[in-house]
Amino acid sequence: MSHSATVALQQSILQTTSSSNRLRLFSGSANPIVANEVARYLGIDLGPMIRKQFADGEMYVQIQESIRGCDVYLIQPSCRPVNDHLMELLIMIDACRRASARQITAVIPYYGYARADRKTAGRESITAKLAANLITQAGAGRVLAMDLHSAQIQGYFDIPCDHVYGSPVILDYLNSKNLDDIVVVSPDVGGVARARAFAKKLHGAPLAIIDKRRQAHNVAEVMNVVGDVQGKTAILVDDMIDTAGTLQEGARLLRKEGAKQVYACATHPVFSGPAVDRLSGGLFEEVIVTNTIPVPPEKQFEQLTVLTVANLLGETIWRIHEESSVSSMFR
């Protein structure tokens, strides 16, 4: 190797090492398992941090190492208890800002308060925008979110927002199962774009839509299926599973219409109230979710499969840090 080539290689190694040393990763209390997996993927340790609550419920956060001039990534989904985890994220951001971090990225695998993304009646709050404002005002310079409830929420942030998808992880798993006669089903009209993109990547599988009329929050009434599911393996695709009422009624209708198997796929396992009973009642061959939200032992059941998104998040963080393309990961 020539002298000039050797010097160039040494400079490249020094730049990469310097870049890695500037990257700092911290975890909130909402999902430390995913944060540790992301840290392993990146080959770094989670940063030390003191986190505690006072007797009246107030939270205290202190970063335990210098992050001056560093690019800091804070991993914290705003899952149950939503208010506590959101407030903890805001306090972490503020602590990093006051510690002179160069850039603070809020890594939010599950973005809570996203369902109220517009006014559907008078005198309602648009909480998706409110939460975005809080994160921005706390001092975050960038947000990395996964499978937002609606794509327009990206525009609610006045800072860059990288929106990534959990579908590649689920698609890889489904492809490994070698299912035949697949039809991808959207549980409602609002999810058609998501289901269409999912079907396209699943070898161009046909698409069906469930016509659903919602009468109240967390209460769904399913009407009929638009598309052919007779004798097929139906894959219901959604961004989250909350009370599972929509999926339960959808699965019943698909069985009634002649589907031979029904699978449910979603990125976020919120699993509120009667969700586990509805999902484990024999309507589904398998319920496939990711670990953007931790699933406690009492909410696990035989048909449940939890896939990790840690490598996907880790790769995205590295690309953001290296200022390379994120969107190319999903082409």
Side-chain angles (χ1 to χ4, degrees), residues 12-23 42 71 73 102-103 105 142 314-326:
S12 175
I13 292 171
L14 285 172
Q15 288 173 355
T16 300
T17 303
S18 175
S19 178
S20 298
N21 289 339
R22 277 205 328 271
L23 193 158
L42 292 170
D71 295 336
Y73 296 81
R102 188 175 79 94
Q103 165 120 325
T105 300
R142 178 181 292 271
E315 179 64 23
T316 306
I317 289 171
W318 182 250
R319 289 182 180 226
I320 293 172
H321 185 63
E322 291 294 300
E323 299 181 341
S324 60
S325 173
V326 171

PDB file of all heavy atoms in Angstrom, residues 12-23 42 71 73 102-103 105 142 314-326:
ATOM      1  N   SER A  12      -9.499   7.881   7.659  1.00  0.00           N
ATOM      2  CA  SER A  12     -10.857   7.337   7.639  1.00  0.00           C
ATOM      3  C   SER A  12     -11.174   6.639   8.955  1.00  0.00           C
ATOM      4  O   SER A  12     -12.259   6.800   9.518  1.00  0.00           O
ATOM      5  CB  SER A  12     -11.015   6.359   6.466  1.00  0.00           C
ATOM      6  OG  SER A  12     -12.279   5.741   6.489  1.00  0.00           O
ATOM      7  N   ILE A  13     -10.193   5.856   9.470  1.00  0.00           N
ATOM      8  CA  ILE A  13     -10.392   5.149  10.738  1.00  0.00           C
ATOM      9  C   ILE A  13     -10.555   6.145  11.882  1.00  0.00           C
ATOM     10  O   ILE A  13     -11.432   5.997  12.737  1.00  0.00           O
ATOM     11  CB  ILE A  13      -9.211   4.194  11.018  1.00  0.00           C
ATOM     12  CG1 ILE A  13      -9.207   3.047  10.000  1.00  0.00           C
ATOM     13  CG2 ILE A  13      -9.283   3.648  12.440  1.00  0.00           C
ATOM     14  CD1 ILE A  13      -7.971   2.176  10.070  1.00  0.00           C
ATOM     15  N   LEU A  14      -9.728   7.199  11.878  1.00  0.00           N
ATOM     16  CA  LEU A  14      -9.821   8.212  12.923  1.00  0.00           C
ATOM     17  C   LEU A  14     -11.160   8.923  12.885  1.00  0.00           C
ATOM     18  O   LEU A  14     -11.774   9.193  13.922  1.00  0.00           O
ATOM     19  CB  LEU A  14      -8.679   9.223  12.770  1.00  0.00           C
ATOM     20  CG  LEU A  14      -7.287   8.742  13.203  1.00  0.00           C
ATOM     21  CD1 LEU A  14      -6.235   9.775  12.813  1.00  0.00           C
ATOM     22  CD2 LEU A  14      -7.249   8.474  14.699  1.00  0.00           C
ATOM     23  N   GLN A  15     -11.654   9.214  11.655  1.00  0.00           N
ATOM     24  CA  GLN A  15     -12.939   9.889  11.526  1.00  0.00           C
ATOM     25  C   GLN A  15     -14.069   9.015  12.032  1.00  0.00           C
ATOM     26  O   GLN A  15     -14.980   9.472  12.731  1.00  0.00           O
ATOM     27  CB  GLN A  15     -13.188  10.274  10.067  1.00  0.00           C
ATOM     28  CG  GLN A  15     -12.307  11.414   9.584  1.00  0.00           C
ATOM     29  CD  GLN A  15     -12.440  11.663   8.099  1.00  0.00           C
ATOM     30  OE1 GLN A  15     -13.128  10.919   7.388  1.00  0.00           O
ATOM     31  NE2 GLN A  15     -11.784  12.715   7.616  1.00  0.00           N
ATOM     32  N   THR A  16     -14.016   7.717  11.669  1.00  0.00           N
ATOM     33  CA  THR A  16     -15.052   6.784  12.117  1.00  0.00           C
ATOM     34  C   THR A  16     -15.031   6.645  13.641  1.00  0.00           C
ATOM     35  O   THR A  16     -16.068   6.649  14.303  1.00  0.00           O
ATOM     36  CB  THR A  16     -14.847   5.398  11.467  1.00  0.00           C
ATOM     37  OG1 THR A  16     -14.915   5.550  10.056  1.00  0.00           O
ATOM     38  CG2 THR A  16     -15.916   4.420  11.919  1.00  0.00           C
ATOM     39  N   THR A  17     -13.803   6.526  14.209  1.00  0.00           N
ATOM     40  CA  THR A  17     -13.679   6.407  15.662  1.00  0.00           C
ATOM     41  C   THR A  17     -14.189   7.653  16.362  1.00  0.00           C
ATOM     42  O   THR A  17     -14.911   7.588  17.358  1.00  0.00           O
ATOM     43  CB  THR A  17     -12.210   6.153  16.049  1.00  0.00           C
ATOM     44  OG1 THR A  17     -11.752   4.994  15.376  1.00  0.00           O
ATOM     45  CG2 THR A  17     -12.065   5.974  17.548  1.00  0.00           C
ATOM     46  N   SER A  18     -13.817   8.819  15.802  1.00  0.00           N
ATOM     47  CA  SER A  18     -14.288  10.074  16.382  1.00  0.00           C
ATOM     48  C   SER A  18     -15.797  10.175  16.318  1.00  0.00           C
ATOM     49  O   SER A  18     -16.457  10.596  17.262  1.00  0.00           O
ATOM     50  CB  SER A  18     -13.647  11.252  15.644  1.00  0.00           C
ATOM     51  OG  SER A  18     -14.166  12.479  16.093  1.00  0.00           O
ATOM     52  N   SER A  19     -16.364   9.743  15.175  1.00  0.00           N
ATOM     53  CA  SER A  19     -17.819   9.784  15.010  1.00  0.00           C
ATOM     54  C   SER A  19     -18.503   8.876  16.024  1.00  0.00           C
ATOM     55  O   SER A  19     -19.512   9.239  16.630  1.00  0.00           O
ATOM     56  CB  SER A  19     -18.186   9.370  13.579  1.00  0.00           C
ATOM     57  OG  SER A  19     -19.580   9.354  13.396  1.00  0.00           O
ATOM     58  N   SER A  20     -17.923   7.663  16.225  1.00  0.00           N
ATOM     59  CA  SER A  20     -18.513   6.723  17.179  1.00  0.00           C
ATOM     60  C   SER A  20     -18.429   7.262  18.598  1.00  0.00           C
ATOM     61  O   SER A  20     -19.349   7.089  19.390  1.00  0.00           O
ATOM     62  CB  SER A  20     -17.784   5.372  17.082  1.00  0.00           C
ATOM     63  OG  SER A  20     -17.937   4.809  15.795  1.00  0.00           O
ATOM     64  N   ASN A  21     -17.300   7.935  18.920  1.00  0.00           N
ATOM     65  CA  ASN A  21     -17.143   8.477  20.267  1.00  0.00           C
ATOM     66  C   ASN A  21     -18.125   9.604  20.545  1.00  0.00           C
ATOM     67  O   ASN A  21     -18.430   9.894  21.702  1.00  0.00           O
ATOM     68  CB  ASN A  21     -15.704   8.981  20.474  1.00  0.00           C
ATOM     69  CG  ASN A  21     -14.699   7.838  20.574  1.00  0.00           C
ATOM     70  OD1 ASN A  21     -15.074   6.709  20.875  1.00  0.00           O
ATOM     71  ND2 ASN A  21     -13.439   8.132  20.314  1.00  0.00           N
ATOM     72  N   ARG A  22     -18.596  10.264  19.498  1.00  0.00           N
ATOM     73  CA  ARG A  22     -19.548  11.355  19.685  1.00  0.00           C
ATOM     74  C   ARG A  22     -20.969  10.845  19.864  1.00  0.00           C
ATOM     75  O   ARG A  22     -21.848  11.591  20.250  1.00  0.00           O
ATOM     76  CB  ARG A  22     -19.527  12.317  18.482  1.00  0.00           C
ATOM     77  CG  ARG A  22     -18.438  13.370  18.516  1.00  0.00           C
ATOM     78  CD  ARG A  22     -18.817  14.596  17.694  1.00  0.00           C
ATOM     79  NE  ARG A  22     -19.647  14.319  16.555  1.00  0.00           N
ATOM     80  CZ  ARG A  22     -19.203  14.007  15.344  1.00  0.00           C
ATOM     81  NH1 ARG A  22     -17.910  13.887  15.127  1.00  0.00           N
ATOM     82  NH2 ARG A  22     -20.052  13.779  14.361  1.00  0.00           N
ATOM     83  N   LEU A  23     -21.212   9.595  19.546  1.00  0.00           N
ATOM     84  CA  LEU A  23     -22.566   9.040  19.633  1.00  0.00           C
ATOM     85  C   LEU A  23     -22.814   8.556  21.057  1.00  0.00           C
ATOM     86  O   LEU A  23     -22.063   7.746  21.585  1.00  0.00           O
ATOM     87  CB  LEU A  23     -22.725   7.892  18.624  1.00  0.00           C
ATOM     88  CG  LEU A  23     -24.136   7.382  18.354  1.00  0.00           C
ATOM     89  CD1 LEU A  23     -24.182   6.677  16.993  1.00  0.00           C
ATOM     90  CD2 LEU A  23     -24.639   6.414  19.418  1.00  0.00           C
ATOM     91  N   LEU A  42     -25.204  -1.414  17.856  1.00  0.00           N
ATOM     92  CA  LEU A  42     -24.281  -0.318  17.553  1.00  0.00           C
ATOM     93  C   LEU A  42     -22.890  -0.539  18.130  1.00  0.00           C
ATOM     94  O   LEU A  42     -21.948   0.200  17.799  1.00  0.00           O
ATOM     95  CB  LEU A  42     -24.856   0.997  18.089  1.00  0.00           C
ATOM     96  CG  LEU A  42     -26.117   1.513  17.400  1.00  0.00           C
ATOM     97  CD1 LEU A  42     -26.717   2.683  18.177  1.00  0.00           C
ATOM     98  CD2 LEU A  42     -25.819   1.926  15.963  1.00  0.00           C
ATOM     99  N   ASP A  71     -23.624  13.778  20.010  1.00  0.00           N
ATOM    100  CA  ASP A  71     -24.933  13.501  19.422  1.00  0.00           C
ATOM    101  C   ASP A  71     -25.621  12.465  20.304  1.00  0.00           C
ATOM    102  O   ASP A  71     -25.177  11.319  20.395  1.00  0.00           O
ATOM    103  CB  ASP A  71     -24.798  12.970  17.998  1.00  0.00           C
ATOM    104  CG  ASP A  71     -24.200  13.998  17.051  1.00  0.00           C
ATOM    105  OD1 ASP A  71     -24.322  15.200  17.348  1.00  0.00           O
ATOM    106  OD2 ASP A  71     -23.600  13.615  16.040  1.00  0.00           O
ATOM    107  N   TYR A  73     -28.878  10.193  21.603  1.00  0.00           N
ATOM    108  CA  TYR A  73     -30.102   9.520  21.171  1.00  0.00           C
ATOM    109  C   TYR A  73     -30.793   8.957  22.410  1.00  0.00           C
ATOM    110  O   TYR A  73     -30.207   8.164  23.153  1.00  0.00           O
ATOM    111  CB  TYR A  73     -29.785   8.406  20.169  1.00  0.00           C
ATOM    112  CG  TYR A  73     -29.196   8.934  18.883  1.00  0.00           C
ATOM    113  CD1 TYR A  73     -27.841   9.250  18.796  1.00  0.00           C
ATOM    114  CD2 TYR A  73     -29.993   9.144  17.763  1.00  0.00           C
ATOM    115  CE1 TYR A  73     -27.301   9.761  17.629  1.00  0.00           C
ATOM    116  CE2 TYR A  73     -29.464   9.654  16.586  1.00  0.00           C
ATOM    117  CZ  TYR A  73     -28.111   9.959  16.527  1.00  0.00           C
ATOM    118  OH  TYR A  73     -27.588  10.479  15.363  1.00  0.00           O
ATOM    119  N   ARG A 102     -24.596  18.323  21.504  1.00  0.00           N
ATOM    120  CA  ARG A 102     -24.584  18.980  20.193  1.00  0.00           C
ATOM    121  C   ARG A 102     -25.920  18.809  19.491  1.00  0.00           C
ATOM    122  O   ARG A 102     -26.465  19.743  18.919  1.00  0.00           O
ATOM    123  CB  ARG A 102     -23.463  18.404  19.320  1.00  0.00           C
ATOM    124  CG  ARG A 102     -23.241  19.151  18.004  1.00  0.00           C
ATOM    125  CD  ARG A 102     -22.043  18.578  17.276  1.00  0.00           C
ATOM    126  NE  ARG A 102     -22.406  17.350  16.592  1.00  0.00           N
ATOM    127  CZ  ARG A 102     -22.791  17.288  15.317  1.00  0.00           C
ATOM    128  NH1 ARG A 102     -22.865  18.389  14.591  1.00  0.00           N
ATOM    129  NH2 ARG A 102     -23.092  16.125  14.766  1.00  0.00           N
ATOM    130  N   GLN A 103     -26.435  17.595  19.503  1.00  0.00           N
ATOM    131  CA  GLN A 103     -27.736  17.307  18.900  1.00  0.00           C
ATOM    132  C   GLN A 103     -28.449  16.277  19.742  1.00  0.00           C
ATOM    133  O   GLN A 103     -27.845  15.308  20.211  1.00  0.00           O
ATOM    134  CB  GLN A 103     -27.577  16.783  17.469  1.00  0.00           C
ATOM    135  CG  GLN A 103     -28.827  16.134  16.898  1.00  0.00           C
ATOM    136  CD  GLN A 103     -29.340  16.830  15.642  1.00  0.00           C
ATOM    137  OE1 GLN A 103     -29.250  18.047  15.519  1.00  0.00           O
ATOM    138  NE2 GLN A 103     -29.863  16.065  14.724  1.00  0.00           N
ATOM    139  N   THR A 105     -31.627  13.609  19.708  1.00  0.00           N
ATOM    140  CA  THR A 105     -32.631  12.919  18.908  1.00  0.00           C
ATOM    141  C   THR A 105     -33.512  12.085  19.838  1.00  0.00           C
ATOM    142  O   THR A 105     -33.006  11.234  20.572  1.00  0.00           O
ATOM    143  CB  THR A 105     -31.987  12.002  17.851  1.00  0.00           C
ATOM    144  OG1 THR A 105     -31.177  12.792  16.980  1.00  0.00           O
ATOM    145  CG2 THR A 105     -33.053  11.284  17.028  1.00  0.00           C
ATOM    146  N   ARG A 142     -34.252  16.536  16.724  1.00  0.00           N
ATOM    147  CA  ARG A 142     -34.704  15.571  15.713  1.00  0.00           C
ATOM    148  C   ARG A 142     -35.518  14.498  16.405  1.00  0.00           C
ATOM    149  O   ARG A 142     -35.306  14.207  17.584  1.00  0.00           O
ATOM    150  CB  ARG A 142     -33.503  14.946  14.996  1.00  0.00           C
ATOM    151  CG  ARG A 142     -33.846  13.893  13.941  1.00  0.00           C
ATOM    152  CD  ARG A 142     -32.597  13.318  13.306  1.00  0.00           C
ATOM    153  NE  ARG A 142     -31.903  14.302  12.493  1.00  0.00           N
ATOM    154  CZ  ARG A 142     -32.142  14.526  11.206  1.00  0.00           C
ATOM    155  NH1 ARG A 142     -33.063  13.811  10.584  1.00  0.00           N
ATOM    156  NH2 ARG A 142     -31.473  15.433  10.543  1.00  0.00           N
ATOM    157  N   GLY A 314     -31.389   0.445  15.353  1.00  0.00           N
ATOM    158  CA  GLY A 314     -29.948   0.667  15.444  1.00  0.00           C
ATOM    159  C   GLY A 314     -29.357   1.115  14.125  1.00  0.00           C
ATOM    160  O   GLY A 314     -28.542   2.050  14.080  1.00  0.00           O
ATOM    161  N   GLU A 315     -29.752   0.472  13.039  1.00  0.00           N
ATOM    162  CA  GLU A 315     -29.260   0.860  11.715  1.00  0.00           C
ATOM    163  C   GLU A 315     -29.708   2.269  11.356  1.00  0.00           C
ATOM    164  O   GLU A 315     -28.944   3.056  10.788  1.00  0.00           O
ATOM    165  CB  GLU A 315     -29.743  -0.148  10.671  1.00  0.00           C
ATOM    166  CG  GLU A 315     -29.319   0.164   9.242  1.00  0.00           C
ATOM    167  CD  GLU A 315     -27.810   0.108   9.037  1.00  0.00           C
ATOM    168  OE1 GLU A 315     -27.114  -0.580   9.825  1.00  0.00           O
ATOM    169  OE2 GLU A 315     -27.327   0.754   8.087  1.00  0.00           O
ATOM    170  N   THR A 316     -30.950   2.604  11.709  1.00  0.00           N
ATOM    171  CA  THR A 316     -31.453   3.950  11.425  1.00  0.00           C
ATOM    172  C   THR A 316     -30.679   4.996  12.216  1.00  0.00           C
ATOM    173  O   THR A 316     -30.311   6.057  11.674  1.00  0.00           O
ATOM    174  CB  THR A 316     -32.950   4.047  11.758  1.00  0.00           C
ATOM    175  OG1 THR A 316     -33.664   3.014  11.070  1.00  0.00           O
ATOM    176  CG2 THR A 316     -33.509   5.393  11.339  1.00  0.00           C
ATOM    177  N   ILE A 317     -30.425   4.724  13.484  1.00  0.00           N
ATOM    178  CA  ILE A 317     -29.646   5.653  14.303  1.00  0.00           C
ATOM    179  C   ILE A 317     -28.257   5.860  13.711  1.00  0.00           C
ATOM    180  O   ILE A 317     -27.764   6.995  13.613  1.00  0.00           O
ATOM    181  CB  ILE A 317     -29.559   5.139  15.759  1.00  0.00           C
ATOM    182  CG1 ILE A 317     -30.919   5.271  16.455  1.00  0.00           C
ATOM    183  CG2 ILE A 317     -28.486   5.879  16.546  1.00  0.00           C
ATOM    184  CD1 ILE A 317     -30.989   4.589  17.805  1.00  0.00           C
ATOM    185  N   TRP A 318     -27.624   4.778  13.297  1.00  0.00           N
ATOM    186  CA  TRP A 318     -26.280   4.902  12.720  1.00  0.00           C
ATOM    187  C   TRP A 318     -26.312   5.728  11.429  1.00  0.00           C
ATOM    188  O   TRP A 318     -25.428   6.569  11.201  1.00  0.00           O
ATOM    189  CB  TRP A 318     -25.684   3.526  12.454  1.00  0.00           C
ATOM    190  CG  TRP A 318     -24.293   3.597  11.902  1.00  0.00           C
ATOM    191  CD1 TRP A 318     -23.871   3.295  10.643  1.00  0.00           C
ATOM    192  CD2 TRP A 318     -23.117   4.027  12.614  1.00  0.00           C
ATOM    193  NE1 TRP A 318     -22.528   3.505  10.526  1.00  0.00           N
ATOM    194  CE2 TRP A 318     -22.040   3.959  11.714  1.00  0.00           C
ATOM    195  CE3 TRP A 318     -22.903   4.475  13.919  1.00  0.00           C
ATOM    196  CZ2 TRP A 318     -20.740   4.315  12.084  1.00  0.00           C
ATOM    197  CZ3 TRP A 318     -21.605   4.830  14.279  1.00  0.00           C
ATOM    198  CH2 TRP A 318     -20.542   4.749  13.364  1.00  0.00           C
ATOM    199  N   ARG A 319     -27.324   5.519  10.599  1.00  0.00           N
ATOM    200  CA  ARG A 319     -27.414   6.278   9.346  1.00  0.00           C
ATOM    201  C   ARG A 319     -27.673   7.761   9.614  1.00  0.00           C
ATOM    202  O   ARG A 319     -27.132   8.620   8.918  1.00  0.00           O
ATOM    203  CB  ARG A 319     -28.512   5.696   8.459  1.00  0.00           C
ATOM    204  CG  ARG A 319     -28.147   4.340   7.870  1.00  0.00           C
ATOM    205  CD  ARG A 319     -29.235   3.805   6.955  1.00  0.00           C
ATOM    206  NE  ARG A 319     -28.863   2.507   6.406  1.00  0.00           N
ATOM    207  CZ  ARG A 319     -28.990   2.174   5.116  1.00  0.00           C
ATOM    208  NH1 ARG A 319     -29.496   3.049   4.268  1.00  0.00           N
ATOM    209  NH2 ARG A 319     -28.633   0.989   4.694  1.00  0.00           N
ATOM    210  N   ILE A 320     -28.509   8.051  10.596  1.00  0.00           N
ATOM    211  CA  ILE A 320     -28.728   9.456  10.956  1.00  0.00           C
ATOM    212  C   ILE A 320     -27.425  10.065  11.457  1.00  0.00           C
ATOM    213  O   ILE A 320     -27.050  11.184  11.069  1.00  0.00           O
ATOM    214  CB  ILE A 320     -29.829   9.570  12.032  1.00  0.00           C
ATOM    215  CG1 ILE A 320     -31.188   9.164  11.462  1.00  0.00           C
ATOM    216  CG2 ILE A 320     -29.898  10.998  12.584  1.00  0.00           C
ATOM    217  CD1 ILE A 320     -32.278   9.057  12.513  1.00  0.00           C
ATOM    218  N   HIS A 321     -26.730   9.324  12.291  1.00  0.00           N
ATOM    219  CA  HIS A 321     -25.480   9.823  12.864  1.00  0.00           C
ATOM    220  C   HIS A 321     -24.425  10.057  11.780  1.00  0.00           C
ATOM    221  O   HIS A 321     -23.675  11.037  11.833  1.00  0.00           O
ATOM    222  CB  HIS A 321     -24.965   8.827  13.896  1.00  0.00           C
ATOM    223  CG  HIS A 321     -23.748   9.282  14.628  1.00  0.00           C
ATOM    224  ND1 HIS A 321     -23.733  10.397  15.433  1.00  0.00           N
ATOM    225  CD2 HIS A 321     -22.474   8.778  14.667  1.00  0.00           C
ATOM    226  CE1 HIS A 321     -22.527  10.563  15.952  1.00  0.00           C
ATOM    227  NE2 HIS A 321     -21.746   9.599  15.497  1.00  0.00           N
ATOM    228  N   GLU A 322     -24.389   9.165  10.789  1.00  0.00           N
ATOM    229  CA  GLU A 322     -23.418   9.279   9.695  1.00  0.00           C
ATOM    230  C   GLU A 322     -23.936  10.143   8.545  1.00  0.00           C
ATOM    231  O   GLU A 322     -23.270  10.271   7.522  1.00  0.00           O
ATOM    232  CB  GLU A 322     -23.054   7.883   9.175  1.00  0.00           C
ATOM    233  CG  GLU A 322     -22.242   7.058  10.148  1.00  0.00           C
ATOM    234  CD  GLU A 322     -20.856   7.654  10.389  1.00  0.00           C
ATOM    235  OE1 GLU A 322     -20.088   7.779   9.419  1.00  0.00           O
ATOM    236  OE2 GLU A 322     -20.567   8.009  11.549  1.00  0.00           O
ATOM    237  N   GLU A 323     -25.124  10.684   8.708  1.00  0.00           N
ATOM    238  CA  GLU A 323     -25.740  11.564   7.711  1.00  0.00           C
ATOM    239  C   GLU A 323     -25.872  10.878   6.354  1.00  0.00           C
ATOM    240  O   GLU A 323     -25.606  11.457   5.298  1.00  0.00           O
ATOM    241  CB  GLU A 323     -24.937  12.869   7.580  1.00  0.00           C
ATOM    242  CG  GLU A 323     -24.876  13.665   8.876  1.00  0.00           C
ATOM    243  CD  GLU A 323     -24.106  14.954   8.747  1.00  0.00           C
ATOM    244  OE1 GLU A 323     -23.316  15.089   7.791  1.00  0.00           O
ATOM    245  OE2 GLU A 323     -24.299  15.851   9.596  1.00  0.00           O
ATOM    246  N   SER A 324     -26.317   9.622   6.390  1.00  0.00           N
ATOM    247  CA  SER A 324     -26.587   8.882   5.162  1.00  0.00           C
ATOM    248  C   SER A 324     -28.094   8.626   5.034  1.00  0.00           C
ATOM    249  O   SER A 324     -28.874   8.931   5.948  1.00  0.00           O
ATOM    250  CB  SER A 324     -25.806   7.568   5.131  1.00  0.00           C
ATOM    251  OG  SER A 324     -26.159   6.749   6.229  1.00  0.00           O
ATOM    252  N   SER A 325     -28.512   8.048   3.921  1.00  0.00           N
ATOM    253  CA  SER A 325     -29.937   7.903   3.630  1.00  0.00           C
ATOM    254  C   SER A 325     -30.620   6.907   4.550  1.00  0.00           C
ATOM    255  O   SER A 325     -30.110   5.817   4.810  1.00  0.00           O
ATOM    256  CB  SER A 325     -30.108   7.446   2.165  1.00  0.00           C
ATOM    257  OG  SER A 325     -31.460   7.147   1.897  1.00  0.00           O
ATOM    258  N   VAL A 326     -31.779   7.310   5.045  1.00  0.00           N
ATOM    259  CA  VAL A 326     -32.638   6.413   5.828  1.00  0.00           C
ATOM    260  C   VAL A 326     -33.685   5.758   4.930  1.00  0.00           C
ATOM    261  O   VAL A 326     -33.984   4.568   5.053  1.00  0.00           O
ATOM    262  CB  VAL A 326     -33.302   7.166   6.986  1.00  0.00           C
ATOM    263  CG1 VAL A 326     -34.355   6.307   7.673  1.00  0.00           C
ATOM    264  CG2 VAL A 326     -32.269   7.625   8.013  1.00  0.00           C
TER     265      VAL A 326
END
